[in-house]
Amino acid sequence: MNENKIKSDFVAVASIAAELSAVMEVAKEISLAAANAKAIAFRAGEKAKGFQPITDFINDLAKETITLVNNINAHALQLYRLTVHEHRMSQACNHFEKVAALAATAAYKDSIELPLAKVRQQKVVSRREFETHVAELLDQLAEVMHPARAARVIAANSRIEASQAGEYLQSLQAVAESVDHAAQIIHVKVHLCRSALTRINTVDCY
Amino acid sequence: MKMTKIYDGAYQWIMYGRDPNKPEKIIDTNQYLVRTAKRCLLIDPGGIELFAPMLAAVLHHAPVEEITDIFASHQDPDIISSLGLWDQALPHAKLHAAALWEGFLRHFGCDSIEYVAIPDNGGVINLDTIELQILPAHYLHSSANFNIYDPRAKILFSGDIGAALEPPGCPIFVENFDEHVDKMRYFHQRWMPSNQAKRAWIDRVRGLDIDIIAPQHGRIFKGDDVKRFLDWFDALQVGIAI
């Protein structure tokens, strides 16, 4: 594994963290929209009867997304630590190889062989762990797509229910739009994360 | 990397420095190794840029597994930014460094090496049968700063005290003290902040039996130049940037 590959991994992991942070913000917005919708539906009474259970769904979806993103964030942090560790092992390998070359005439030149073999081994282990974590993270990101898709369906139902809410039509439609928009953003951001992770697994910089 | 034995008795002191392949813009440094029968102490092992030539040079005198102890006089990068690499090369070694700097030095990477925190009043390092004294030299220049005194070899490793800024490849020992003074003056006046700290250090060091003062930059003082240096430093006003 060369230095360029490790550097591109650093950038990919950092960009995933940034996208996840945006997903979290959007999930919080959905949660707020759910609270708002609940208040409007309560005021609308009978006119928004069909809308009331939808608000609970929206809230549940927001909570589920927040929990999933929190788990993914913890995983992404672990991925970042592994990248740092791999970078350190790679640096150590480069320096120890230089030592071996420079110490060609030294009486104790062979004693660098064991530390060199150790860091080489650790570098390989670190890469394997990294790849395992990337695969797990890809699965978790796929999970986040489910509530986002469900949110879009709920947004469509909300629009239908809103159309029967008389003077509350506009307010409830705004809630439906807001949920739909948020779900789209989550979809795009998660897709970006998955693309970045897929690049980590496929880019060949050897 | 030039290697110079500065003490050769039942054990050895070896100085490493004047690396001709050192990157141009980094300051030249002196590293020291105290080599006993089965153990070695590396004193201020240097920056990350110097790690490979430094370890390659040490391998002329000792195998990796016998480098059991590292001492860092303070926290600067030219002293110990190579720590993360020593940490990988010497998994069972001890790092003797100021308690005050522990949280800072660990930023360089210190997962395997045991951090032996030196309290403000100093301590000792036992290496086989020899005992090296860790002397406080706070504020000269770092706020938690230590020297090493070897009473048997009569060597004082003085860190930045006695340092000089010189062009690459300068001699190992001071040859003409009066000419050398110009190379030390600004370094001491600007890097050392406290006349009070300097006075305390002079008082402490004048009581020691010293043949050699070995600084971390520049040339080594031996014989009569030891007293000449102490007298010169005693008279110097430091902390000039205020």
Side-chain angles (χ1 to χ4, degrees), chain B residues 113-171:
Chain B
I113 287 181
E114 181 190 345
Y115 194 106
V116 182
I118 307 170
D120 275 354
N121 61 346
V124 293
I125 298 173
N126 288 301
L127 209 62
D128 282 338
T129 57
I130 64 163
E131 185 178 276
L132 302 166
Q133 298 172 9
I134 303 173
L135 306 180
H138 304 312
Y139 303 106
L140 297 172
H141 70 91
S142 172
S143 42
N145 198 74
F146 294 97
N147 293 169
I148 284 195
Y149 176 60
D150 178 348
R152 204 154 135 195
K154 299 182 184 174
I155 294 174
L156 176 71
F157 166 74
S158 59
D160 279 322
I161 306 165
L165 298 173
E166 296 208 59
C170 69

Side-chain angles (χ1 to χ4, degrees), chain B residues 76-101:
Chain B
D76 276 350
D78 64 320
I79 304 288
I80 190 69
S81 65
S82 55
L83 177 61
L85 293 169
W86 292 108
D87 189 58
Q88 294 304 322
L90 320 172
H92 307 297
K94 290 177 179 176
L95 170 68
H96 305 264
L100 201 69
W101 290 127

Side-chain angles (χ1 to χ4, degrees), chain B residues 219-239:
Chain B
R219 304 187 201 191
I220 294 172
F221 304 85
K222 62 179 178 181
D224 293 340
D225 284 336
V226 169
K227 184 178 180 308
R228 286 192 191 104
F229 171 73
L230 295 177
D231 291 344
W232 171 82
F233 192 35
D234 200 359
L236 188 73
Q237 286 296 305
V238 299

Side-chain angles (χ1 to χ4, degrees), chain A residues 5-15 80 83-85 87:
Chain A
K5 170 68 177 146
I6 294 171
K7 279 175 194 162
S8 73
D9 286 355
F10 266 122
V11 173
V13 173
S15 68
Y80 181 76
T83 315
V84 171
H85 184 66
H87 175 66

Side-chain angles (χ1 to χ4, degrees), chain A residues 24-155:
Chain A
M24 186 63 101
E25 287 308 308
V26 173
K28 283 176 186 166
E29 277 172 29
I30 295 179
S31 186
L32 198 65
N36 193 25
K38 202 167 190 144
I40 296 167
F42 180 75
R43 278 204 303 277
E46 278 298 310
K47 289 175 187 168
K49 205 173 176 186
F51 203 92
Q52 283 170 4
I54 292 176
T55 60
D56 291 333
F57 273 120
I58 298 171
N59 198 33
D60 288 348
L61 282 175
K63 277 184 186 164
E64 192 185 343
T65 306
I66 290 169
T67 306
L68 282 169
V69 171
N70 271 332
N71 291 342
I72 292 171
N73 263 330
H75 222 121
L77 185 66
Q78 176 67 11
L79 205 58
Y80 181 76
R81 286 188 181 132
L82 280 169
T83 315
V84 171
H85 184 66
E86 190 186 3
H87 175 66
R88 283 197 165 151
M89 290 309 106
S90 176
Q91 290 272 302
C93 255
N94 294 343
H95 283 277
F96 290 6
E97 280 163 4
K98 267 189 215 164
V99 172
L102 289 170
T105 60
Y108 302 102
K109 65 178 191 301
D110 294 341
S111 68
I112 191 64
E113 289 305 323
L114 185 61
L116 180 55
K118 264 188 184 170
V119 290
R120 277 180 179 150
Q121 174 66 18
Q122 281 194 45
K123 203 172 93 166
V124 170
V125 170
S126 196
R127 174 56 27 183
R128 272 195 210 126
E129 271 186 55
F130 183 84
E131 284 165 1
T132 307
H133 276 269
V134 167
E136 286 172 10
L137 198 50
L138 275 167
D139 289 344
Q140 284 184 320
L141 284 167
E143 269 187 68
V144 178
M145 293 292 219
H146 299 152
R149 279 193 206 105
R152 295 210 70 188
V153 173
I154 286 172

